[in-house]
PDB file of all heavy atoms in Angstrom:
ATOM      1  N   TYR A  31     -18.208   7.319  14.520  1.00  0.00           N
ATOM      2  CA  TYR A  31     -16.963   7.208  13.655  1.00  0.00           C
ATOM      3  C   TYR A  31     -17.357   7.207  12.181  1.00  0.00           C
ATOM      4  O   TYR A  31     -16.765   7.917  11.414  1.00  0.00           O
ATOM      5  CB  TYR A  31     -16.260   5.902  14.017  1.00  0.00           C
ATOM      6  CG  TYR A  31     -15.092   5.526  13.107  1.00  0.00           C
ATOM      7  CD1 TYR A  31     -13.859   6.155  13.275  1.00  0.00           C
ATOM      8  CD2 TYR A  31     -15.256   4.586  12.126  1.00  0.00           C
ATOM      9  CE1 TYR A  31     -12.788   5.823  12.451  1.00  0.00           C
ATOM     10  CE2 TYR A  31     -14.183   4.227  11.245  1.00  0.00           C
ATOM     11  CZ  TYR A  31     -12.957   4.857  11.456  1.00  0.00           C
ATOM     12  OH  TYR A  31     -11.910   4.555  10.620  1.00  0.00           O
ATOM     13  N   LYS A  35     -16.816  10.101   9.019  1.00  0.00           N
ATOM     14  CA  LYS A  35     -16.204   9.759   7.707  1.00  0.00           C
ATOM     15  C   LYS A  35     -17.152  10.118   6.564  1.00  0.00           C
ATOM     16  O   LYS A  35     -16.728  10.666   5.563  1.00  0.00           O
ATOM     17  CB  LYS A  35     -15.987   8.255   7.713  1.00  0.00           C
ATOM     18  CG  LYS A  35     -14.529   7.904   7.699  1.00  0.00           C
ATOM     19  CD  LYS A  35     -14.348   6.410   7.542  1.00  0.00           C
ATOM     20  CE  LYS A  35     -12.944   6.034   8.024  1.00  0.00           C
ATOM     21  NZ  LYS A  35     -11.892   6.955   7.654  1.00  0.00           N
ATOM     22  N   SER A  54     -12.530  -0.301  -0.406  1.00  0.00           N
ATOM     23  CA  SER A  54     -11.560  -1.275   0.005  1.00  0.00           C
ATOM     24  C   SER A  54     -10.554  -0.718   1.014  1.00  0.00           C
ATOM     25  O   SER A  54     -10.132  -1.393   1.960  1.00  0.00           O
ATOM     26  CB  SER A  54     -10.771  -1.799  -1.240  1.00  0.00           C
ATOM     27  OG  SER A  54     -10.099  -0.733  -1.877  1.00  0.00           O
ATOM     28  N   MET A  55     -10.265   0.574   0.935  1.00  0.00           N
ATOM     29  CA  MET A  55      -9.352   1.227   1.910  1.00  0.00           C
ATOM     30  C   MET A  55     -10.066   1.462   3.226  1.00  0.00           C
ATOM     31  O   MET A  55      -9.509   1.219   4.308  1.00  0.00           O
ATOM     32  CB  MET A  55      -8.804   2.538   1.424  1.00  0.00           C
ATOM     33  CG  MET A  55      -7.914   2.414   0.167  1.00  0.00           C
ATOM     34  SD  MET A  55      -6.591   1.189   0.256  1.00  0.00           S
ATOM     35  CE  MET A  55      -5.480   2.002   1.359  1.00  0.00           C
ATOM     36  N   ALA A  57     -12.567  -0.165   4.531  1.00  0.00           N
ATOM     37  CA  ALA A  57     -12.865  -1.398   5.208  1.00  0.00           C
ATOM     38  C   ALA A  57     -11.792  -1.699   6.282  1.00  0.00           C
ATOM     39  O   ALA A  57     -12.097  -2.066   7.401  1.00  0.00           O
ATOM     40  CB  ALA A  57     -12.990  -2.535   4.185  1.00  0.00           C
ATOM     41  N   MET A  58     -10.515  -1.565   5.838  1.00  0.00           N
ATOM     42  CA  MET A  58      -9.479  -1.872   6.843  1.00  0.00           C
ATOM     43  C   MET A  58      -9.359  -0.835   7.957  1.00  0.00           C
ATOM     44  O   MET A  58      -9.004  -1.107   9.058  1.00  0.00           O
ATOM     45  CB  MET A  58      -8.149  -2.065   6.086  1.00  0.00           C
ATOM     46  CG  MET A  58      -7.063  -2.672   6.925  1.00  0.00           C
ATOM     47  SD  MET A  58      -7.483  -4.365   7.496  1.00  0.00           S
ATOM     48  CE  MET A  58      -6.406  -4.543   8.904  1.00  0.00           C
ATOM     49  N   GLU A  59      -9.652   0.454   7.546  1.00  0.00           N
ATOM     50  CA  GLU A  59      -9.615   1.458   8.602  1.00  0.00           C
ATOM     51  C   GLU A  59     -10.661   1.161   9.650  1.00  0.00           C
ATOM     52  O   GLU A  59     -10.401   1.375  10.822  1.00  0.00           O
ATOM     53  CB  GLU A  59      -9.905   2.838   7.933  1.00  0.00           C
ATOM     54  CG  GLU A  59      -8.817   3.368   7.052  1.00  0.00           C
ATOM     55  CD  GLU A  59      -9.210   4.587   6.210  1.00  0.00           C
ATOM     56  OE1 GLU A  59     -10.097   5.322   6.653  1.00  0.00           O
ATOM     57  OE2 GLU A  59      -8.618   4.815   5.222  1.00  0.00           O
ATOM     58  N   VAL A  61     -11.667  -1.844  10.532  1.00  0.00           N
ATOM     59  CA  VAL A  61     -11.131  -2.955  11.351  1.00  0.00           C
ATOM     60  C   VAL A  61     -10.199  -2.406  12.468  1.00  0.00           C
ATOM     61  O   VAL A  61     -10.315  -2.710  13.615  1.00  0.00           O
ATOM     62  CB  VAL A  61     -10.375  -3.970  10.459  1.00  0.00           C
ATOM     63  CG1 VAL A  61      -9.623  -4.994  11.346  1.00  0.00           C
ATOM     64  CG2 VAL A  61     -11.370  -4.692   9.546  1.00  0.00           C
ATOM     65  N   VAL A  62      -9.268  -1.532  11.996  1.00  0.00           N
ATOM     66  CA  VAL A  62      -8.291  -0.960  12.962  1.00  0.00           C
ATOM     67  C   VAL A  62      -9.033  -0.136  14.016  1.00  0.00           C
ATOM     68  O   VAL A  62      -8.680  -0.168  15.226  1.00  0.00           O
ATOM     69  CB  VAL A  62      -7.245  -0.154  12.183  1.00  0.00           C
ATOM     70  CG1 VAL A  62      -6.272   0.507  13.163  1.00  0.00           C
ATOM     71  CG2 VAL A  62      -6.424  -1.058  11.210  1.00  0.00           C
ATOM     72  N   PHE A  63     -10.048   0.648  13.578  1.00  0.00           N
ATOM     73  CA  PHE A  63     -10.814   1.430  14.557  1.00  0.00           C
ATOM     74  C   PHE A  63     -11.468   0.530  15.575  1.00  0.00           C
ATOM     75  O   PHE A  63     -11.427   0.783  16.802  1.00  0.00           O
ATOM     76  CB  PHE A  63     -11.877   2.277  13.814  1.00  0.00           C
ATOM     77  CG  PHE A  63     -12.921   2.793  14.666  1.00  0.00           C
ATOM     78  CD1 PHE A  63     -12.723   3.894  15.513  1.00  0.00           C
ATOM     79  CD2 PHE A  63     -14.193   2.181  14.709  1.00  0.00           C
ATOM     80  CE1 PHE A  63     -13.741   4.365  16.364  1.00  0.00           C
ATOM     81  CE2 PHE A  63     -15.211   2.631  15.542  1.00  0.00           C
ATOM     82  CZ  PHE A  63     -14.968   3.708  16.359  1.00  0.00           C
ATOM     83  N   GLU A  65     -10.669  -2.484  16.482  1.00  0.00           N
ATOM     84  CA  GLU A  65      -9.653  -3.131  17.325  1.00  0.00           C
ATOM     85  C   GLU A  65      -9.166  -2.198  18.433  1.00  0.00           C
ATOM     86  O   GLU A  65      -9.054  -2.560  19.608  1.00  0.00           O
ATOM     87  CB  GLU A  65      -8.492  -3.598  16.480  1.00  0.00           C
ATOM     88  CG  GLU A  65      -8.897  -4.766  15.580  1.00  0.00           C
ATOM     89  CD  GLU A  65      -7.757  -5.366  14.799  1.00  0.00           C
ATOM     90  OE1 GLU A  65      -6.794  -4.582  14.412  1.00  0.00           O
ATOM     91  OE2 GLU A  65      -7.729  -6.527  14.506  1.00  0.00           O
ATOM     92  N   VAL A  72      -9.319  -8.730  15.229  1.00  0.00           N
ATOM     93  CA  VAL A  72     -10.103  -9.385  14.171  1.00  0.00           C
ATOM     94  C   VAL A  72      -9.112 -10.159  13.240  1.00  0.00           C
ATOM     95  O   VAL A  72      -8.263  -9.518  12.590  1.00  0.00           O
ATOM     96  CB  VAL A  72     -10.847  -8.327  13.338  1.00  0.00           C
ATOM     97  CG1 VAL A  72     -11.776  -9.021  12.324  1.00  0.00           C
ATOM     98  CG2 VAL A  72     -11.653  -7.383  14.207  1.00  0.00           C
ATOM     99  N   VAL A  73      -9.159 -11.456  13.322  1.00  0.00           N
ATOM    100  CA  VAL A  73      -8.182 -12.270  12.563  1.00  0.00           C
ATOM    101  C   VAL A  73      -8.885 -13.446  11.899  1.00  0.00           C
ATOM    102  O   VAL A  73     -10.078 -13.708  12.162  1.00  0.00           O
ATOM    103  CB  VAL A  73      -7.069 -12.829  13.466  1.00  0.00           C
ATOM    104  CG1 VAL A  73      -6.180 -11.729  14.006  1.00  0.00           C
ATOM    105  CG2 VAL A  73      -7.658 -13.622  14.656  1.00  0.00           C
ATOM    106  N   LEU A  77     -12.104 -12.001   9.343  1.00  0.00           N
ATOM    107  CA  LEU A  77     -11.761 -11.007   8.372  1.00  0.00           C
ATOM    108  C   LEU A  77     -12.504 -11.217   7.046  1.00  0.00           C
ATOM    109  O   LEU A  77     -12.006 -11.665   6.058  1.00  0.00           O
ATOM    110  CB  LEU A  77     -10.223 -11.049   8.085  1.00  0.00           C
ATOM    111  CG  LEU A  77      -9.327 -10.412   9.129  1.00  0.00           C
ATOM    112  CD1 LEU A  77      -7.864 -10.818   8.896  1.00  0.00           C
ATOM    113  CD2 LEU A  77      -9.441  -8.887   9.178  1.00  0.00           C
ATOM    114  N   LYS A  78     -13.804 -10.903   7.142  1.00  0.00           N
ATOM    115  CA  LYS A  78     -14.670 -11.092   5.970  1.00  0.00           C
ATOM    116  C   LYS A  78     -15.510  -9.803   5.847  1.00  0.00           C
ATOM    117  O   LYS A  78     -16.063  -9.285   6.888  1.00  0.00           O
ATOM    118  CB  LYS A  78     -15.649 -12.293   6.189  1.00  0.00           C
ATOM    119  CG  LYS A  78     -14.873 -13.624   6.108  1.00  0.00           C
ATOM    120  CD  LYS A  78     -14.769 -14.062   4.653  1.00  0.00           C
ATOM    121  CE  LYS A  78     -13.779 -15.197   4.315  1.00  0.00           C
ATOM    122  NZ  LYS A  78     -12.992 -15.833   5.272  1.00  0.00           N
ATOM    123  N   MET A  79     -15.653  -9.322   4.644  1.00  0.00           N
ATOM    124  CA  MET A  79     -16.447  -8.085   4.429  1.00  0.00           C
ATOM    125  C   MET A  79     -17.833  -8.146   5.022  1.00  0.00           C
ATOM    126  O   MET A  79     -18.363  -7.153   5.456  1.00  0.00           O
ATOM    127  CB  MET A  79     -16.474  -7.793   2.931  1.00  0.00           C
ATOM    128  CG  MET A  79     -15.193  -7.263   2.358  1.00  0.00           C
ATOM    129  SD  MET A  79     -14.588  -5.727   3.069  1.00  0.00           S
ATOM    130  CE  MET A  79     -15.276  -4.575   1.912  1.00  0.00           C
ATOM    131  N   PHE A  82     -18.775  -6.365   8.203  1.00  0.00           N
ATOM    132  CA  PHE A  82     -18.631  -4.969   8.238  1.00  0.00           C
ATOM    133  C   PHE A  82     -19.637  -4.206   7.390  1.00  0.00           C
ATOM    134  O   PHE A  82     -19.438  -3.032   7.134  1.00  0.00           O
ATOM    135  CB  PHE A  82     -17.187  -4.528   7.886  1.00  0.00           C
ATOM    136  CG  PHE A  82     -16.172  -5.318   8.710  1.00  0.00           C
ATOM    137  CD1 PHE A  82     -15.658  -6.509   8.274  1.00  0.00           C
ATOM    138  CD2 PHE A  82     -15.841  -4.848   9.956  1.00  0.00           C
ATOM    139  CE1 PHE A  82     -14.727  -7.229   9.012  1.00  0.00           C
ATOM    140  CE2 PHE A  82     -14.923  -5.548  10.762  1.00  0.00           C
ATOM    141  CZ  PHE A  82     -14.386  -6.743  10.299  1.00  0.00           C
TER     142      PHE A  82
ATOM    143  N   ARG B  52      -0.849  -5.575   9.209  1.00  0.00           N
ATOM    144  CA  ARG B  52      -2.105  -4.926   8.873  1.00  0.00           C
ATOM    145  C   ARG B  52      -2.482  -5.097   7.399  1.00  0.00           C
ATOM    146  O   ARG B  52      -3.575  -5.395   7.050  1.00  0.00           O
ATOM    147  CB  ARG B  52      -2.081  -3.473   9.266  1.00  0.00           C
ATOM    148  CG  ARG B  52      -3.438  -2.732   9.034  1.00  0.00           C
ATOM    149  CD  ARG B  52      -3.287  -1.222   9.264  1.00  0.00           C
ATOM    150  NE  ARG B  52      -2.215  -0.588   8.602  1.00  0.00           N
ATOM    151  CZ  ARG B  52      -2.146  -0.397   7.306  1.00  0.00           C
ATOM    152  NH1 ARG B  52      -3.126  -0.801   6.506  1.00  0.00           N
ATOM    153  NH2 ARG B  52      -1.069   0.152   6.757  1.00  0.00           N
ATOM    154  N   ARG B  55      -3.592  -8.588   6.610  1.00  0.00           N
ATOM    155  CA  ARG B  55      -4.965  -8.790   7.014  1.00  0.00           C
ATOM    156  C   ARG B  55      -5.970  -8.079   6.099  1.00  0.00           C
ATOM    157  O   ARG B  55      -7.036  -8.514   5.862  1.00  0.00           O
ATOM    158  CB  ARG B  55      -5.165  -8.376   8.481  1.00  0.00           C
ATOM    159  CG  ARG B  55      -4.380  -9.316   9.446  1.00  0.00           C
ATOM    160  CD  ARG B  55      -4.754  -9.111  10.872  1.00  0.00           C
ATOM    161  NE  ARG B  55      -4.490  -7.806  11.382  1.00  0.00           N
ATOM    162  CZ  ARG B  55      -5.345  -7.092  12.086  1.00  0.00           C
ATOM    163  NH1 ARG B  55      -6.463  -7.639  12.451  1.00  0.00           N
ATOM    164  NH2 ARG B  55      -5.014  -5.909  12.519  1.00  0.00           N
ATOM    165  N   HIS B  56      -5.474  -6.887   5.603  1.00  0.00           N
ATOM    166  CA  HIS B  56      -6.319  -6.175   4.640  1.00  0.00           C
ATOM    167  C   HIS B  56      -6.524  -7.010   3.374  1.00  0.00           C
ATOM    168  O   HIS B  56      -7.657  -7.100   2.848  1.00  0.00           O
ATOM    169  CB  HIS B  56      -5.581  -4.840   4.291  1.00  0.00           C
ATOM    170  CG  HIS B  56      -6.431  -3.852   3.524  1.00  0.00           C
ATOM    171  ND1 HIS B  56      -5.860  -2.694   2.991  1.00  0.00           N
ATOM    172  CD2 HIS B  56      -7.709  -3.866   3.195  1.00  0.00           C
ATOM    173  CE1 HIS B  56      -6.817  -2.063   2.379  1.00  0.00           C
ATOM    174  NE2 HIS B  56      -7.979  -2.691   2.492  1.00  0.00           N
ATOM    175  N   GLN B  58      -6.434 -10.241   3.265  1.00  0.00           N
ATOM    176  CA  GLN B  58      -7.308 -11.354   3.595  1.00  0.00           C
ATOM    177  C   GLN B  58      -8.787 -10.866   3.643  1.00  0.00           C
ATOM    178  O   GLN B  58      -9.683 -11.573   3.137  1.00  0.00           O
ATOM    179  CB  GLN B  58      -6.916 -11.964   4.934  1.00  0.00           C
ATOM    180  CG  GLN B  58      -5.612 -12.723   4.819  1.00  0.00           C
ATOM    181  CD  GLN B  58      -4.918 -13.011   6.180  1.00  0.00           C
ATOM    182  OE1 GLN B  58      -5.264 -12.418   7.175  1.00  0.00           O
ATOM    183  NE2 GLN B  58      -3.913 -13.920   6.137  1.00  0.00           N
ATOM    184  N   LEU B  59      -8.956  -9.692   4.239  1.00  0.00           N
ATOM    185  CA  LEU B  59     -10.318  -9.089   4.346  1.00  0.00           C
ATOM    186  C   LEU B  59     -11.015  -8.984   2.982  1.00  0.00           C
ATOM    187  O   LEU B  59     -12.169  -9.257   2.827  1.00  0.00           O
ATOM    188  CB  LEU B  59     -10.226  -7.749   5.069  1.00  0.00           C
ATOM    189  CG  LEU B  59     -11.477  -6.902   5.139  1.00  0.00           C
ATOM    190  CD1 LEU B  59     -12.471  -7.623   6.108  1.00  0.00           C
ATOM    191  CD2 LEU B  59     -11.170  -5.470   5.709  1.00  0.00           C
ATOM    192  N   LEU B  60     -10.173  -8.615   1.993  1.00  0.00           N
ATOM    193  CA  LEU B  60     -10.736  -8.406   0.652  1.00  0.00           C
ATOM    194  C   LEU B  60     -10.639  -9.617  -0.219  1.00  0.00           C
ATOM    195  O   LEU B  60     -10.888  -9.604  -1.418  1.00  0.00           O
ATOM    196  CB  LEU B  60     -10.086  -7.193  -0.003  1.00  0.00           C
ATOM    197  CG  LEU B  60     -10.306  -5.916   0.718  1.00  0.00           C
ATOM    198  CD1 LEU B  60      -9.497  -4.777   0.196  1.00  0.00           C
ATOM    199  CD2 LEU B  60     -11.842  -5.502   0.645  1.00  0.00           C
ATOM    200  N   PRO B 145      -2.055  -0.132  -3.490  1.00  0.00           N
ATOM    201  CA  PRO B 145      -1.420  -1.197  -2.653  1.00  0.00           C
ATOM    202  C   PRO B 145      -1.103  -2.462  -3.495  1.00  0.00           C
ATOM    203  O   PRO B 145      -2.036  -3.007  -4.116  1.00  0.00           O
ATOM    204  CB  PRO B 145      -2.468  -1.494  -1.607  1.00  0.00           C
ATOM    205  CG  PRO B 145      -3.698  -0.655  -1.874  1.00  0.00           C
ATOM    206  CD  PRO B 145      -3.513  -0.031  -3.217  1.00  0.00           C
ATOM    207  N   TYR B 147      -0.677  -5.472  -2.770  1.00  0.00           N
ATOM    208  CA  TYR B 147      -1.354  -6.725  -2.395  1.00  0.00           C
ATOM    209  C   TYR B 147      -2.818  -6.688  -2.855  1.00  0.00           C
ATOM    210  O   TYR B 147      -3.498  -7.708  -2.770  1.00  0.00           O
ATOM    211  CB  TYR B 147      -1.303  -6.932  -0.855  1.00  0.00           C
ATOM    212  CG  TYR B 147      -1.738  -5.764  -0.075  1.00  0.00           C
ATOM    213  CD1 TYR B 147      -3.071  -5.660   0.333  1.00  0.00           C
ATOM    214  CD2 TYR B 147      -0.852  -4.752   0.267  1.00  0.00           C
ATOM    215  CE1 TYR B 147      -3.477  -4.578   1.065  1.00  0.00           C
ATOM    216  CE2 TYR B 147      -1.240  -3.661   1.001  1.00  0.00           C
ATOM    217  CZ  TYR B 147      -2.570  -3.595   1.404  1.00  0.00           C
ATOM    218  OH  TYR B 147      -3.020  -2.478   2.083  1.00  0.00           O
ATOM    219  N   LEU B 148      -3.296  -5.554  -3.384  1.00  0.00           N
ATOM    220  CA  LEU B 148      -4.684  -5.556  -3.929  1.00  0.00           C
ATOM    221  C   LEU B 148      -4.742  -5.399  -5.443  1.00  0.00           C
ATOM    222  O   LEU B 148      -5.662  -5.845  -6.078  1.00  0.00           O
ATOM    223  CB  LEU B 148      -5.441  -4.389  -3.308  1.00  0.00           C
ATOM    224  CG  LEU B 148      -5.698  -4.444  -1.759  1.00  0.00           C
ATOM    225  CD1 LEU B 148      -6.585  -3.270  -1.356  1.00  0.00           C
ATOM    226  CD2 LEU B 148      -6.377  -5.757  -1.427  1.00  0.00           C
ATOM    227  N   GLU B 213     -11.446  17.905  -2.713  1.00  0.00           N
ATOM    228  CA  GLU B 213     -12.654  17.091  -2.802  1.00  0.00           C
ATOM    229  C   GLU B 213     -13.339  17.291  -4.114  1.00  0.00           C
ATOM    230  O   GLU B 213     -13.834  16.266  -4.732  1.00  0.00           O
ATOM    231  CB  GLU B 213     -13.675  17.487  -1.701  1.00  0.00           C
ATOM    232  CG  GLU B 213     -13.388  16.990  -0.270  1.00  0.00           C
ATOM    233  CD  GLU B 213     -12.481  17.909   0.491  1.00  0.00           C
ATOM    234  OE1 GLU B 213     -11.978  18.923  -0.158  1.00  0.00           O
ATOM    235  OE2 GLU B 213     -12.270  17.735   1.654  1.00  0.00           O
ATOM    236  N   LEU B 235      -2.232   8.380  -1.065  1.00  0.00           N
ATOM    237  CA  LEU B 235      -1.899   6.972  -0.851  1.00  0.00           C
ATOM    238  C   LEU B 235      -0.442   6.736  -1.265  1.00  0.00           C
ATOM    239  O   LEU B 235       0.318   6.032  -0.602  1.00  0.00           O
ATOM    240  CB  LEU B 235      -2.832   6.143  -1.742  1.00  0.00           C
ATOM    241  CG  LEU B 235      -2.655   4.598  -1.710  1.00  0.00           C
ATOM    242  CD1 LEU B 235      -3.048   4.098  -0.322  1.00  0.00           C
ATOM    243  CD2 LEU B 235      -3.583   3.967  -2.747  1.00  0.00           C
ATOM    244  N   ARG B 274      -1.334   9.743   3.543  1.00  0.00           N
ATOM    245  CA  ARG B 274      -1.761   8.733   4.515  1.00  0.00           C
ATOM    246  C   ARG B 274      -0.690   8.398   5.530  1.00  0.00           C
ATOM    247  O   ARG B 274      -0.926   8.229   6.722  1.00  0.00           O
ATOM    248  CB  ARG B 274      -2.227   7.477   3.834  1.00  0.00           C
ATOM    249  CG  ARG B 274      -3.651   7.547   3.333  1.00  0.00           C
ATOM    250  CD  ARG B 274      -4.009   6.257   2.630  1.00  0.00           C
ATOM    251  NE  ARG B 274      -5.401   6.317   2.188  1.00  0.00           N
ATOM    252  CZ  ARG B 274      -6.408   5.790   2.910  1.00  0.00           C
ATOM    253  NH1 ARG B 274      -6.186   5.129   3.995  1.00  0.00           N
ATOM    254  NH2 ARG B 274      -7.638   5.953   2.529  1.00  0.00           N
ATOM    255  N   TYR B 283      -6.327  12.167   7.821  1.00  0.00           N
ATOM    256  CA  TYR B 283      -6.603  10.730   8.146  1.00  0.00           C
ATOM    257  C   TYR B 283      -6.648  10.580   9.659  1.00  0.00           C
ATOM    258  O   TYR B 283      -6.101  11.460  10.387  1.00  0.00           O
ATOM    259  CB  TYR B 283      -5.588   9.855   7.484  1.00  0.00           C
ATOM    260  CG  TYR B 283      -5.667  10.025   5.974  1.00  0.00           C
ATOM    261  CD1 TYR B 283      -4.862  11.010   5.320  1.00  0.00           C
ATOM    262  CD2 TYR B 283      -6.556   9.343   5.192  1.00  0.00           C
ATOM    263  CE1 TYR B 283      -4.945  11.231   3.961  1.00  0.00           C
ATOM    264  CE2 TYR B 283      -6.629   9.544   3.837  1.00  0.00           C
ATOM    265  CZ  TYR B 283      -5.878  10.490   3.262  1.00  0.00           C
ATOM    266  OH  TYR B 283      -6.009  10.739   1.890  1.00  0.00           O
ATOM    267  N   ASP B 284      -7.265   9.517  10.100  1.00  0.00           N
ATOM    268  CA  ASP B 284      -7.501   9.463  11.542  1.00  0.00           C
ATOM    269  C   ASP B 284      -6.578   8.603  12.337  1.00  0.00           C
ATOM    270  O   ASP B 284      -6.898   8.152  13.417  1.00  0.00           O
ATOM    271  CB  ASP B 284      -8.963   9.060  11.777  1.00  0.00           C
ATOM    272  CG  ASP B 284      -9.224   7.686  11.101  1.00  0.00           C
ATOM    273  OD1 ASP B 284      -8.253   7.020  10.705  1.00  0.00           O
ATOM    274  OD2 ASP B 284     -10.415   7.347  10.938  1.00  0.00           O
ATOM    275  N   THR B 286      -5.686   5.678  11.886  1.00  0.00           N
ATOM    276  CA  THR B 286      -5.834   4.255  11.814  1.00  0.00           C
ATOM    277  C   THR B 286      -5.462   3.727  10.428  1.00  0.00           C
ATOM    278  O   THR B 286      -5.727   2.597  10.056  1.00  0.00           O
ATOM    279  CB  THR B 286      -7.365   3.858  12.098  1.00  0.00           C
ATOM    280  OG1 THR B 286      -8.135   4.495  11.097  1.00  0.00           O
ATOM    281  CG2 THR B 286      -7.746   4.200  13.468  1.00  0.00           C
ATOM    282  N   THR B 287      -4.838   4.583   9.670  1.00  0.00           N
ATOM    283  CA  THR B 287      -4.585   4.271   8.239  1.00  0.00           C
ATOM    284  C   THR B 287      -3.194   3.677   7.980  1.00  0.00           C
ATOM    285  O   THR B 287      -3.009   3.078   6.992  1.00  0.00           O
ATOM    286  CB  THR B 287      -4.819   5.511   7.366  1.00  0.00           C
ATOM    287  OG1 THR B 287      -4.009   6.548   7.914  1.00  0.00           O
ATOM    288  CG2 THR B 287      -6.255   5.917   7.286  1.00  0.00           C
TER     289      THR B 287
END
Side-chain angles (χ1 to χ4, degrees):
Chain A
Y31 173 79
K35 248 185 201 315
S54 60
M55 297 309 287
M58 192 61 200
E59 291 170 24
V61 171
V62 176
F63 163 77
E65 291 184 329
V72 186
V73 293
L77 282 168
K78 288 276 166 358
M79 287 297 267
F82 306 93
Chain B
R52 184 186 48 73
R55 292 193 299 137
H56 192 188
Q58 287 162 348
L59 175 66
L60 295 171
Y147 52 92
L148 295 184
E213 284 87 351
L235 182 66
R274 277 178 177 263
Y283 299 90
D284 55 16
T286 59
T287 50

